[in-house]
């Protein structure tokens, strides 16, 4: 109702934003293209973007790139599903129970800062070779990001909302469902967005280190066999994938938290 | 209904050792409307939270009524306490469902109260789409919809324009007389206190203690005609004098 009123403005605003967002990459790629065409850079190590795109499309069509994208996506999604759900629950528990907080918070905080790739050998030892150690390391990475955001959000809930719920003698479950979960949702989605980005990163890194498929493998292996332009296809694909996944999380977040003042909802004037 | 003796509240980690409130002693009879007036920071919100059962650590005694611990207490907070993630309607439905009403009942009662407070057109709006006054009406509707035994109002009309404030005061007066809810109101407004209360309890600056209890002489049921009553101004003035005297001059 209130939204519909601004639809036309918001469409224009959205297109404008999209256009603005394309300017910087377009300039960078343009310079690169010109430099490559003019022979100013070594096109063996820096093939022209147009060349990379053509190459990428070829690999998309012959199915090889699609297979690697799906392999990476599958890992990212498994990691998000496992790490995201456990991280969220851990955040709720450590946030709401003083006992669980006292037990786990120091441990989690210490573990949080370990670069997970450093303990990859431990995972290989625990889970053997194959997909399991890869999924485990992605899940753990995502777990900590989602945990830390959820935990912070629960701890930061404005106590007046809890007071209101208590004066209406709401049960613990009702407080969780009607206050704690919705109050923390916006921040949880922020955490999820970071987790998706870092999760993609760790997936690619792991694929570089021990993979035999996926975009990380493409990037590394192509370089090893001196197919540099294929390596760039992998790099381009990763950035597009990361961008798309983050956008997806933001979209779902907006849909799930309609009370958060959507930027397109009110025409505001920005400070200059 | 409410009986407080030597009630003293300190917040943990308060920088000095002064309590935030008290000791205060007062009692409110069933069905009575009592207002508390006191300077900013004297502990009104603290007292509201204590009577509402949110603050549970205090010195002295606090007995909440014949209805015992099962007394239904509703609070309208100074900062509204309206949930931003629920629409106006959902804000009312939540406590109604908690009180055991079915989905349909809760919805019907919620609409009924939103209508009474003339915001039913905005039932499906989220608080960020409402004005401050509308949010406050949601908060009031929510507090009244559960038919509380005790209603606690912490400066409920502070951020509302004069016209609407008078309307809501009239509304509150009528509803309170109709349901005979025991009501305590924290306010800065002398007019509001005289218009609505049976008794006005005057508090000192922080930490609040009771300096005076003033009976408001008007019988019930009252109507908003009282505002223009010839004696109204002088009663308000005598209250003002009592408060100014007690708090050592103008603030
Ligand atoms: N959560 C808290 N922790 C520590 N001190 C607090 C807390 N809340 C309030 N206080 C202190 O308690 C005192 C009383 O505060 P309170 O909010 O009850 O005042 P008030 O009478 O409601 O003021 P106002 O009229 O401005 O709303 C103040 O000195 C305040 O600093
Ligand atoms: Mg206050």
């Amino acid at each position: 109702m209130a939204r519909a009123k601004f639809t036309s403005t918001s469409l224009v605003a959205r297109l404008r934003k999209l256009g603005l967002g394309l300017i910087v990459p377009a300039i960078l790629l343009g310079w690169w293209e010109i430099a490559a065409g003019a022979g100013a850079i070594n096109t063996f190590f820096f093939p022209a973007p147009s060349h990379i795109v053509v190459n990428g499309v070829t690999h998309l069509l012959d199915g090889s790139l699609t297979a690697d994208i799906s392999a990476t996506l599958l890992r990212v999604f498994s990691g998000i599903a496992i790490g995201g759900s456990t991280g969220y629950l851990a955040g709720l528990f450590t946030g709401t129970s003083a006992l669980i907080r006292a037990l786990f918070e120091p441990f989690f905080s210490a573990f949080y800062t370990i670069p997970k790739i450093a303990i990859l050998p431990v995972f290989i030892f625990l889970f053997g070779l194959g997909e399991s150690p890869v999924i485990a390391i992605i899940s753990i990475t995502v777990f900590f990001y989602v945990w830390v955001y959820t935990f912070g959000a629960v701890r930061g809930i404005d106590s007046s909302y809890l007071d209101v719920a208590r004066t209406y003698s709401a049960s613990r479950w009702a407080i969780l469902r009607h206050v704690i979960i919705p109050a923390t949702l916006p921040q949880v989605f922020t955490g999820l967005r970071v987790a998706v980005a870092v999760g993609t990163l760790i997936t690619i890194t792991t694929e570089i280190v021990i993979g035999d498929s996926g975009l990380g493998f493409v990037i590394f292996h192509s370089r090893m066999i001196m197919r540099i332009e294929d390596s760039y296809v992998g790099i381009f694909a990763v950035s597009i994938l990361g961008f798309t996944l983050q956008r997806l999380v933001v979209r779902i977040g907006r849909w799930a938290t309609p009370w958060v003042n959507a930027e397109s909802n009110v025409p505001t004037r920005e400070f200059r | 209904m409410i009986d407080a003796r030597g009630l003293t509240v300190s917040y943990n980690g308060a920088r000095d050792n002064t309590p935030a409130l008290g000791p205060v002693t007062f009692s409110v009879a069933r069905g009575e409307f009592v207002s508390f007036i006191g300077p900013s920071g004297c502990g009104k919100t603290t007292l509201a939270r204590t009577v509402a059962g949110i603050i549970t650590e205090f010195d002295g005694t606090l007995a909440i009524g014949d209805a015992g611990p099962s007394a239904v207490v509703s609070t309208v907070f100074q900062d509204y306490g309206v949930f931003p993630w629920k629409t106006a309607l959902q804000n009312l439905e939540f406590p109604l469902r908690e009180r055991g009403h079915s989905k349909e009942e809760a919805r019907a009662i919620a609409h009924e109260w939103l209508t009474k407070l003339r915001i039913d057109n905005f039932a499906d709006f989220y608080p960020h789409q409402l004005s401050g006054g509308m949010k406050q009406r949601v908060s009031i509707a929510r507090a009244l919809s559960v038919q509380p035994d005790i209603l606690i109002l912490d400066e409920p009309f502070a951020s509302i324009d004069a016209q609407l404030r008078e309307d809501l005061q009239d509304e509150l007066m009528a509803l309170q007389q109709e349901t005979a809810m025991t009501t305590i109101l924290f306010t800065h407004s002398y007019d509001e206190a005289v218009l609505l209360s049976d008794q006005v309890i005057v508090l000192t600056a922080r930490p609040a203690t009771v300096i005076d209890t003033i009976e408001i002489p008007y019988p019930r049921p009252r109507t908003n005609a009282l505002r223009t009553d010839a004696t109204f101004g002088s009663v308000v003035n005598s209250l003002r004098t009592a408060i100014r005297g007690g708090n050592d001059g103008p603030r």
Side-chain angles (χ1 to χ4, degrees):
Chain A
M1 197 170 165
R3 201 170 285 249
K5 217 167 136 192
F6 298 116
T7 305
S8 58
T9 7
S10 89
L11 186 67
V12 172
R14 232 188 249 171
L15 286 176
R16 183 163 164 263
K17 229 176 95 185
L18 191 75
L20 288 175
L22 287 174
I23 289 178
V24 173
I27 289 176
L28 286 175
L29 290 174
W31 276 113
W32 185 354
E33 183 74 40
I34 290 166
I41 50 175
N42 183 339
T43 52
F44 180 73
F45 289 109
F46 304 101
S50 57
H51 187 70
I52 296 168
V53 170
V54 170
N55 204 29
V57 172
T58 314
H59 288 312
L60 269 180
L61 293 177
D62 72 18
S64 61
L65 184 57
T66 336
D68 285 307
I69 290 177
S70 343
T72 297
L73 265 183
L74 190 65
R75 290 176 187 131
V76 173
F77 281 140
S78 314
I80 297 284
I82 300 171
S85 55
T86 49
Y88 182 59
L89 288 178
L92 286 183
F93 282 124
T94 48
T96 49
S97 156
L99 178 66
I100 296 178
R101 178 160 59 252
L103 281 172
F104 287 98
E105 204 254 337
F107 171 67
F108 284 172
S109 296
F111 211 103
Y112 179 50
T113 48
I114 300 175
K116 305 306 172 296
I117 199 78
I119 47 172
L120 182 59
V122 179
F123 285 98
I124 295 175
F125 178 76
L126 286 176
F127 296 102
L129 288 167
E131 280 302 281
S132 314
V134 181
I135 303 283
I137 205 166
I138 302 163
S139 302
I140 293 241
T141 304
V142 169
F143 172 92
F144 282 107
Y145 279 94
V146 174
W147 167 72
V148 92
Y149 275 85
T150 308
F151 175 70
V154 175
R155 299 297 292 154
I157 290 181
D158 187 338
S159 64
S160 68
Y161 296 128
L162 297 169
D163 291 348
V164 171
R166 276 188 213 116
T167 57
Y168 290 114
S169 51
S171 63
R172 268 183 79 92
W173 165 244
I175 290 178
L176 188 68
R177 185 173 149 216
H178 291 280
V179 182
I180 294 173
I181 291 178
T184 53
L185 219 49
Q187 251 173 287
V188 169
F189 271 99
T190 308
L192 204 57
R193 182 183 170 175
V194 178
V196 163
V198 181
T200 309
L201 207 78
I202 193 81
T203 307
I204 302 302
T205 314
T206 314
E207 285 169 350
I208 286 176
V209 178
I210 58 163
D212 56 6
S213 66
L215 291 173
F217 175 74
V218 170
I219 293 170
F220 185 71
H221 185 71
S222 306
R223 193 166 276 273
M224 289 303 283
I225 60 169
M226 287 298 166
R227 293 192 53 92
I228 307 291
E229 72 273 24
D230 284 354
S231 183
Y232 277 108
V233 168
I235 292 172
F236 274 35
V238 168
S239 68
I240 294 171
L241 189 84
F243 175 81
T244 313
L245 287 177
Q246 288 185 63
R247 272 300 137 109
L248 191 69
V249 172
V250 170
R251 270 299 161 82
I252 297 174
R254 289 236 180 98
W255 168 81
T257 58
W259 63 90
V260 175
N261 225 331
E263 32 178 346
S264 60
N265 218 353
V266 189
T268 46
R269 195 177 288 271
E270 271 172 52
F271 290 106
R272 282 168 213 276
Chain B
M1 195 72 179
I2 303 168
D3 196 51
R5 312 223 151 264
L7 188 64
T8 309
V9 181
S10 307
Y11 285 103
N12 283 331
R15 243 179 292 147
D16 42 9
N17 283 327
T18 356
L21 166 76
V24 290
T25 298
F26 63 89
S27 69
V28 181
R30 176 189 277 275
E32 197 174 20
F33 195 128
V34 173
S35 291
F36 288 84
I37 286 196
S40 186
C42 75
K44 295 185 296 298
T45 299
T46 305
L47 180 55
R49 286 157 54 86
T50 311
V51 178
I54 294 162
I55 296 174
T56 49
E57 277 175 38
F58 49 81
D59 290 330
T61 61
L62 175 66
I64 303 286
D66 340 328
S70 67
V72 180
V73 180
S74 273
T75 313
V76 174
F77 290 95
Q78 195 170 5
D79 54 2
Y80 317 138
V82 173
F83 300 119
W85 50 86
K86 288 181 181 294
T87 62
L89 185 72
Q90 290 166 346
N91 260 285
L92 269 72
E93 284 174 331
F94 168 45
L96 288 165
R97 294 281 286 141
E98 286 308 298
R99 304 230 75 95
H101 289 284
S102 74
K103 248 194 164 72
E104 295 73 28
E105 273 173 4
R107 173 147 305 192
I109 298 171
H111 275 301
E112 180 190 320
W113 282 95
L114 289 175
T115 308
K116 272 192 194 173
L117 285 146
R118 281 171 289 138
I119 38 170
D120 199 43
N121 287 342
F122 299 92
D124 294 326
F125 278 52
Y126 284 100
H128 79 265
Q129 300 167 310
L130 302 175
S131 74
M134 289 158 124
K135 269 186 265 198
Q136 189 60 303
R137 278 187 278 168
V138 173
S139 182
I140 295 168
R142 181 176 65 185
L144 294 175
S145 68
V146 297
Q147 300 194 310
D149 301 312
I150 298 170
L151 177 65
I152 300 166
L153 303 157
D154 187 12
E155 296 184 43
F157 308 131
S159 60
I160 292 179
D161 68 78
Q163 168 81 54
L164 181 60
R165 184 184 309 142
E166 290 199 356
D167 289 354
L168 289 178
Q169 286 166 346
D170 294 349
E171 205 101 31
L172 177 64
M173 179 199 277
L175 287 166
Q176 195 270 337
Q177 284 170 169
E178 189 182 303
T179 57
M181 290 177 283
T182 307
T183 306
I184 59 181
L185 168 74
F186 297 87
T187 182
H188 285 130
S189 158
Y190 307 131
D191 299 38
E192 183 171 289
V194 170
L195 184 74
L196 296 171
S197 334
D198 302 306
Q199 252 188 71
V200 179
I201 297 178
V202 183
L203 301 173
T204 58
R206 175 172 194 255
T209 52
V210 176
I211 38 171
D212 207 351
T213 302
I214 296 161
E215 299 282 338
I216 304 300
Y218 299 111
R220 295 207 184 259
R222 300 177 191 165
T223 67
N224 63 358
L226 185 58
R227 288 180 199 282
T228 48
D229 190 278
T231 59
F232 189 72
S234 66
V235 175
V236 170
N237 261 329
S238 63
L239 180 64
R240 182 177 285 124
T241 313
I243 292 165
R244 289 277 166 111
N247 283 310
D248 299 318
R251 291 193 316 254

